[in-house]
Amino acid sequence: MALEATILPLRETKYICPMHPEVEADAPGDCPICGMAFEPSVVQLDAPPDPELVSMRRRLWLGGALALPLLFIAMSEMIPGAPLQDIASVRIWTWVQLALASPVVLWGGWPFFERGWRSVISRNFNMFTLIALGTGVAYVYSLVATAVPHIFPAAFRSAAGDVPVYFEAAAVITVLVALGQVMELKARAKTGEALRALLDLAPALARIVREDGSEADVALEAVRAGDRLRVPPGEKVPVDGVIVDGASALDESMMTGESLPVEKGVDEKVTGGTLNGSGSFIMRAEHVGTETLLYRIVQMVGEAQRSRAPIQRTADRVAGIFVPAVLAAALVTAIAWGVFGPAPSLGYALVNAVAVLIIACPCALGLATPMSIMVGVGRGAQAGVLIRDAEALELFEKVDTLVIDKTGTLTEGRPRLAAVEALPDQSEDTVLRLAASLERASEHPLARAIIEGAVEQQLDLSDVKDFQANIGRGVTGTVDGVDVALGNAQLFATLGIDSAELESRAGDHRAEGRTVMFVAMAGHAAGLIAVADKIKESSFEAVRDLHADGIRVVMLSGDNAVTANAVASALGIDEVQADVLPAQKREMVRKLRAEGRIVAMAGDGVNDAPALAEAQIGIAMGTGTDVAIEAAGITLLSGDLRGIARARRLSRMTMRNIRQNLLFAFGYNFLGIPIAAGILFLPFGLLLNPMIASVAMSLSSVSVISNALRLRMMRL
């Protein structure tokens, strides 16, 4: 019940074509361009059986039941003295073939004729154009040959003087195409397994803690922001929120790709769908329903799966001229066999032209790219790598330069007060108290560290007046009637305050990678505050992996050059740009692009959003702000830079899979069409039976989908 409500908005979505995601409809149906069945734009756990699959399976079973005796009858005519010839004449058995073939072709193959006709009307020739034309020609010709055989000239007659019929070819081709459609529809359904796994993370119930202390299980849709929820050991976190009591280790592997449990305590955020370990805790719900991270992930992945990679444009251009070219090839084949072929020359012309039409169906070509994109994007989501669109996925394998913001990306983004130094005429407590009071009006990440440090030392903070933030420099205001300034040397220069003595004291702190802020009171330097933001342990491994992959790493930081270089030196980063204002980050990215580099930018703050948008690929940390995530093409849910290496492998393997599919699809038609046209007849006396061509055509599509499904197993 709860899960129904959780994904209800997704069910009221559009239906799309897997080969042409830009084509949408409000209800199930067929694509007007390629004729393929629509599918829901977002995977649903409780979706009803696919009506297209149900219908096609019925046609397959009935067609197969009638095609088998039909094939036996047709083959018996080629065996002299066969038992069937003693029961009735060839003429009677021909009528029996007509009776058996008609339900198969006319009912079983009706969807193919319907789609083929629509393709002619709309002039969007596709695989069903060829299937309908091939089977239709074979059936109509055989029907006429059965009803009025005397109208056919000698070129259509066999050595025995009768007119051969091809009911078995038309019927068996129809059955094999239906079999291919069933296999394809079942395989396509597997491409949504990653999304179904994500949707399955949502628990059905949540345990609410009421004001009187009583507890009760309620449906998930009944939870509201602000509710207190208990999460017992071994159960899933119902919604996004913050722990208010207790602690535990949570398994976030399905969301972030990280296998180790993450310790969580009071005031730390928890994500809906993650699995609680051995501890019990009470949480306050903050994001529910469509606002949860899980819902946003499903939406983002669904949209990315429907997007089109640039490489698909090549396939689209080829497909646009492919079907007319095949029709021309079939016509040339028919003329060549009719003029130069052995008796019955027109019979050979018909069979080989049908074989060309059937084997050249471009379904594999159309499926090559979207199937790989769907599976690859889904696999990335399982590993905590969210891809916004297929273009980002394709381009990421070409990236040669990665620009990284320091705070919150390379570092933990949770700075702690490291030191306070006061000049001789001031006290450390006074410097820290006034600075913390001033920072109460600030939203900067370093402000929280200063405030927490003051609270830990049990200092009484005051209100601030006339607060002003100077972006990239610091803040000013009035506390207890004293003008206070907190920031860097640039701020002090702007205010006309001498910072020479503070600069001399700051060197040792910066050499340790700490961020140093100067404090001034009443227009004079008063002291400094040093804040340390620990480098993430994962950053060391991530930078090594990126270097091994041939990527140049550039770090941007608003910190002093000494501090920035200390962090960069510890990590082995190639290039450092320090004292960078937020507005300058975008210019740095633009400069690198002007040098001909393919640039990816990783960041997590609001001030990173312009640079993320400027880079060819923007990478946001899932632990960062919504603005950064919205501006990025790739989001790392774990906030771990190792995810960039995962995204790189995902891009490379997905694009390799697409190229394999395209090579197979092009190569299959490059070899198949000449063989179907009869190129092997003169040297080897071999012809490709239309039924064999139908098998090959169906297997080509299934092979492309099966190859795409291999991406589900790739190691990231």
Side-chain angles (χ1 to χ4, degrees), residues 477-700:
T478 302
V479 180
D480 294 339
V482 179
D483 291 336
V484 182
L486 174 69
N488 54 26
Q490 292 174 309
L491 176 66
F492 272 44
T494 301
L495 298 175
I497 301 174
D498 183 11
S499 62
E501 188 173 354
L502 295 179
E503 284 284 1
S504 65
R505 291 174 175 243
D508 291 340
H509 295 291
R510 289 169 176 164
E512 295 180 23
R514 296 173 177 174
T515 299
V516 178
M517 291 164 284
F518 300 155
V519 181
M521 294 186 296
H524 298 283
L528 63 80
I529 294 176
V531 173
D533 191 3
K534 185 180 178 183
I535 299 175
K536 295 177 182 176
E537 291 297 326
S538 60
S539 294
F540 294 93
E541 181 184 345
V543 173
R544 286 197 301 270
D545 289 346
L546 292 168
H547 282 155
D549 209 12
I551 296 180
R552 179 176 180 80
V553 181
V554 179
M555 186 182 83
L556 300 183
S557 175
D559 269 336
N560 179 278
V562 178
T563 302
N565 282 320
V567 174
S569 177
L571 290 169
I573 287 174
D574 301 297
E575 182 181 342
V576 180
Q577 297 287 341
D579 293 313
V580 177
L581 297 176
Q584 294 175 319
K585 292 182 179 181
R586 182 176 183 179
E587 294 304 317
M588 294 291 183
V589 172
R590 185 174 295 172
K591 179 181 176 183
L592 289 169
R593 291 188 61 177
E595 294 174 2
R597 296 184 176 275
I598 307 297
V599 181
M601 165 73 186
D604 72 335
V606 173
N607 60 357
D608 295 323
L612 290 172
E614 180 66 32
Q616 280 104 327
I617 300 291
I619 305 170
M621 302 292 126
T623 52
T625 64
D626 289 346
V627 176
I629 292 174
E630 290 298 322
I634 295 175
T635 299
L636 308 181
L637 289 178
S638 64
D640 184 342
L641 272 184
R642 288 175 298 183
I644 295 180
R646 291 194 192 103
R648 175 88 162 181
R649 286 192 290 272
L650 173 67
S651 173
R652 184 181 293 114
M653 297 177 74
T654 302
M655 294 311 301
R656 182 187 305 158
N657 191 272
I658 288 174
R659 294 184 187 105
Q660 290 170 351
N661 284 346
L662 289 174
L663 179 63
F664 180 83
F666 281 120
Y668 162 80
N669 285 296
F670 180 77
L671 296 175
I673 292 176
I675 294 174
I679 196 173
L680 299 180
F681 183 75
L682 287 178
F684 305 108
L686 297 177
L687 287 176
L688 187 66
N689 188 290
M691 292 182 287
I692 304 301
S694 179
V695 173
M697 181 271 296
S698 297
L699 290 179
S700 69

Side-chain angles (χ1 to χ4, degrees), residues 468-480:
Q468 287 187 343
N470 297 274
I471 298 176
R473 292 183 173 86
V475 293
T476 60
T478 302
V479 180
D480 294 339

Side-chain angles (χ1 to χ4, degrees), residues 37-38 61 131 175 202 215 293 348 367 371 384 404 491 655 676:
F38 286 135
W61 284 115
I131 292 172
V175 171
E215 299 182 8
L293 178 61
Y348 278 116
L367 289 170
M371 290 297 107
I404 308 178
L491 176 66
M655 294 311 301

Side-chain angles (χ1 to χ4, degrees), residues 17 19-23 30-36 38 115 118-119 122-129 308 316:
C17 169
M19 286 174 60
H20 300 89
E22 73 278 9
V23 178
D30 304 324
C31 175
I33 298 176
C34 65
M36 295 189 71
F38 286 135
R115 296 172 189 177
R118 283 206 302 267
S119 74
S122 64
R123 297 184 181 179
N124 289 309
F125 300 132
N126 53 51
M127 61 174 285
F128 294 105
T129 313
R308 296 168 68 81
D316 290 343

Side-chain angles (χ1 to χ4, degrees), residues 237-284:
V237 178
V239 295
D240 299 352
V242 176
I243 296 177
V244 295
D245 184 33
S248 185
L250 278 75
D251 179 359
E252 299 181 334
S253 58
M254 190 59 201
M255 301 289 284
T256 67
E258 295 299 326
S259 57
L260 295 177
V262 181
E263 298 287 341
K264 300 277 187 176
V266 174
D267 291 335
E268 292 194 277
K269 294 182 178 181
V270 291
T271 305
T274 55
L275 182 64
N276 185 23
S278 57
S280 175
F281 61 86
I282 296 176
M283 62 173 289
R284 182 179 67 252

